[in-house]
Amino acid sequence: MLASGAWAERICAPSVSLAAILEGVTEAKAVTFRTFEPWRQAPPLAIEISFANVGHAQQYRTALASTILLTGGLCAMSEGRLDNLPFIVIGGGIGGTAAALALSRKGKRVLVLEQAVDLTEIGAGIQMPPNAFKAFDALGVLEAVQQVAAYPEQLILGDMLTGTVVYQTPISDAFIERFGHRYALMHRGDLLQILVSACKASDRITLKTSTRATTFRDLGDRVVVSTADSETYEGQAMIAADGLWSMTRSALFGAEPPRTESYIVCRGVVPISEIPEALYSQSVTMWGGPELDLFHYPLRRGEIYNIGASYRDPNALTGAGNPKGDRDVLLTRFRDACPHVKALLPYIDVSRAWVLYDRPSLRNWAKGRMVLLGDAAHPTYIYISQGACMALEDAVLLADQVSKVDGVPAAFRAYEDIRYLRAARIQLTSRQFGEVYHATGVLRDLRNALLATARPEALYDTLGWVFGAADADCLATSAAAG
């Protein structure tokens, strides 16, 4: 849960100077004064004063009662000044920067608070199906993404034990015609930098790093967010894009640990020049095995190669943060893999591992002027490559509702109504695909037999509701459709 902040008072002083306010404050400890942006250019003056304890605050009230009008709390704000407040976004990852960009393109001011020192992404490859491109277009970054992405020829599922291809589907002109865009492959860091650069280019967006939100309050007409460095920010609303371990979600909807089936993934990103020709493929290839998998595909215009190995490890330490992998465990788990898969294992970096999680689906993502976005609302497994896509879609649809619906709370409710079923279906489908990839025994035989007779375009039908049709806005399509 988020911790409580220091004792603070807000005063409204329509015609009192700072000198007059300071006069008589002799016993207060750790007193800090900070003007708040909405009042900088026009009265009344609003100042927050933090005290060591409530006794000092009461002494201050008594000392200045004859000098100013002390409201005993937060002074009300006129509607005009409220409109000048920014939307506060907690988290500067892909979802948070996309939300800032989407809102700014609707004419809203945005303040992004990120606890990390730099706005960088730790990770490796990320797949971007056509629905992501619809979001990129809405965010104005489509061209930048197209310039840095790699594009696969096919999507392939192979049996890890036999080394045979079980199913493959081409990313052909028919695919593009049906869904409106190509299927792309990117490094997560490249995508974040595109979004950050677009945010920096907007005069409506302020990015603040090394800033960890610790407390927040919904005051009815606005929100107040306090940070670990004792700063306080006011906004029209707060958007929590603080990821899987969202403290905001815990504070708003109750603390509950995410779910895991004890799968961890270790990744490697290496220059294409280091990959032997026999091991290289221009396609997205997933090798499915009994409770393990290995995937590989090119990134960054085909300059680097992304390889990931995932296996179930009940001994992996779970919780916020990332454990280390273990090469001996990796090699033991993949001992029965085909020669092609074994030849790729040396390129896996085991110095860092990611435990795979999701969470139960939420019906409500918003409370008043506060709302969840991306993994804070609906973390999902990686098996249909929709985690980042869902955050991008959230950002576009949230900004769209804010611009269309009268009142922030009503807009947030409309946003969750549009999104919650689609997000829940994505979570469920991702789990189901994971079961197919990791099938064992008879279920593995059944998978291979069924997919051996499937049409190459069958995946288009299975995931058509995810990717969206070229002539329809998949961002607003009901999850029940298709």
Side-chain angles (χ1 to χ4, degrees):
M1 296 293 289
L2 300 182
S4 299
W7 182 270
E9 296 284 352
R10 176 71 64 80
I11 60 173
C12 291
S15 59
V16 179
S17 68
L18 281 175
I21 294 171
L22 287 168
E23 196 173 316
V25 185
T26 57
E27 298 298 327
K29 306 296 183 183
V31 178
T32 59
F33 293 84
R34 188 170 72 82
T35 57
F36 285 74
E37 188 172 355
W39 287 273
R40 281 179 180 167
Q41 298 180 358
L45 174 65
I47 297 176
E48 181 176 275
I49 306 175
S50 298
F51 298 90
N53 57 54
V54 66
H56 290 144
Q58 182 58 45
Q59 182 182 26
Y60 177 77
R61 281 171 167 269
T62 303
L64 297 185
S66 61
T67 308
I68 61 173
L69 172 63
L70 188 60
T71 68
L74 294 173
C75 52
M77 187 184 301
S78 68
E79 184 175 347
R81 289 177 184 145
L82 174 62
D83 290 340
N84 289 328
L85 289 176
F87 282 73
I88 300 175
V89 177
I90 309 299
I94 290 172
T97 52
L101 196 55
L103 287 164
S104 72
R105 290 171 65 84
K106 298 295 185 180
K108 307 299 182 181
R109 294 177 55 241
V110 186
L111 171 64
V112 179
L113 305 180
E114 167 56 45
Q115 65 179 343
V117 176
D118 299 307
L119 290 169
T120 56
E121 182 71 44
I122 298 173
I126 185 170
Q127 299 179 46
M128 294 278 99
N131 56 310
F133 277 78
K134 294 176 172 67
F136 292 145
D137 195 15
L139 295 172
V141 297
L142 179 58
E143 183 176 351
V145 167
Q146 290 172 328
Q147 290 176 354
V148 75
Y151 299 97
E153 295 174 351
Q154 299 185 92
L155 304 179
I156 297 173
L157 174 63
D159 185 299
M160 182 184 294
L161 302 185
T162 64
T164 59
V165 172
V166 174
Y167 177 79
Q168 56 188 333
T169 185
I171 307 299
S172 60
D173 290 343
F175 180 94
I176 299 170
E177 182 178 355
R178 178 165 177 175
F179 299 118
H181 293 279
R182 300 171 73 178
Y183 194 108
L185 310 168
M186 299 186 70
H187 193 288
R188 293 184 69 94
D190 292 343
L191 174 55
L192 181 59
Q193 285 310 302
I194 288 171
L195 295 171
V196 169
S197 296
C199 287
K200 289 180 176 179
S202 172
D203 59 6
R204 296 190 179 99
I205 300 174
T206 300
L207 303 172
K208 287 186 67 68
T209 56
S210 302
T211 304
R212 180 170 63 88
T214 55
T215 63
F216 54 84
R217 285 181 291 168
D218 185 338
L219 304 178
D221 64 343
R222 64 198 185 284
V223 299
V224 177
V225 178
S226 299
T227 64
D229 55 358
S230 301
E231 290 289 332
T232 304
Y233 302 92
E234 291 191 314
Q236 292 189 48
M238 186 185 80
I239 300 165
D242 47 349
L244 170 71
W245 299 99
S246 172
M247 295 299 291
T248 311
R249 175 176 173 140
S250 295
L252 291 178
F253 299 104
E256 183 181 17
R259 302 181 300 191
T260 181
E261 296 180 343
S262 300
Y263 280 95
I264 69 169
V265 59
C266 296
R267 298 179 169 99
V269 178
V270 296
I272 288 291
S273 60
E274 297 182 12
I275 301 296
E277 184 176 353
L279 299 180
Y280 176 80
S281 172
Q282 185 63 28
S283 298
V284 175
T285 303
M286 166 65 82
W287 296 98
E291 297 189 343
L292 68 165
D293 66 70
L294 184 139
F295 53 86
H296 52 82
Y297 49 83
L299 303 172
R300 195 177 292 158
R301 297 176 294 271
E303 298 168 5
I304 55 180
Y305 209 53
N306 180 67
I307 308 166
S310 177
Y311 57 92
R312 177 170 273 164
D313 183 2
N315 298 318
L317 296 176
T318 60
N322 299 99
K324 289 185 177 181
D326 186 309
R327 187 162 297 280
D328 289 338
V329 173
L330 177 72
L331 294 177
T332 299
R333 291 304 315 274
F334 283 80
R335 63 183 178 275
D336 296 326
C338 65
H340 180 90
V341 168
K342 285 183 176 179
L344 288 167
L345 294 178
Y347 299 98
I348 299 293
D349 180 4
V350 297
S351 66
R352 185 180 179 92
W354 286 259
V355 180
L356 301 182
Y357 296 97
D358 70 357
R359 285 187 183 271
S361 301
L362 281 179
R363 170 59 183 90
N364 299 113
W365 305 355
K367 281 190 177 180
R369 292 180 172 269
M370 301 177 180
V371 70
L372 305 178
L373 181 144
D375 280 352
H378 46 73
T380 184
Y381 283 136
I382 63 176
Y383 304 117
I384 59 170
S385 304
Q386 284 294 310
C389 296
M390 288 294 100
L392 294 166
E393 288 187 11
D394 285 352
V396 172
L397 266 297
L398 176 64
D400 192 47
Q401 295 307 303
V402 166
S403 69
K404 291 179 178 179
V405 178
D406 187 22
V408 168
F412 284 178
R413 289 193 298 271
Y415 153 74
E416 70 180 13
D417 286 346
I418 291 172
R419 295 295 294 160
Y420 85 98
L421 285 179
R422 178 171 171 84
R425 189 176 177 187
I426 289 287
Q427 290 177 297
L428 176 61
T429 305
S430 295
R431 277 182 163 267
Q432 292 172 333
F433 268 64
E435 293 172 359
V436 170
Y437 296 152
H438 301 147
T440 63
V442 174
L443 293 181
R444 168 178 164 260
D445 295 339
L446 177 62
R447 175 198 69 194
N448 293 352
L450 292 176
L451 291 179
T453 59
R455 295 180 300 107
E457 296 79 15
L459 187 68
Y460 297 8
D461 300 328
T462 301
L463 294 181
W465 65 273
V466 177
F467 299 161
D471 59 351
D473 183 3
C474 75
L475 300 184
T477 299
S478 167

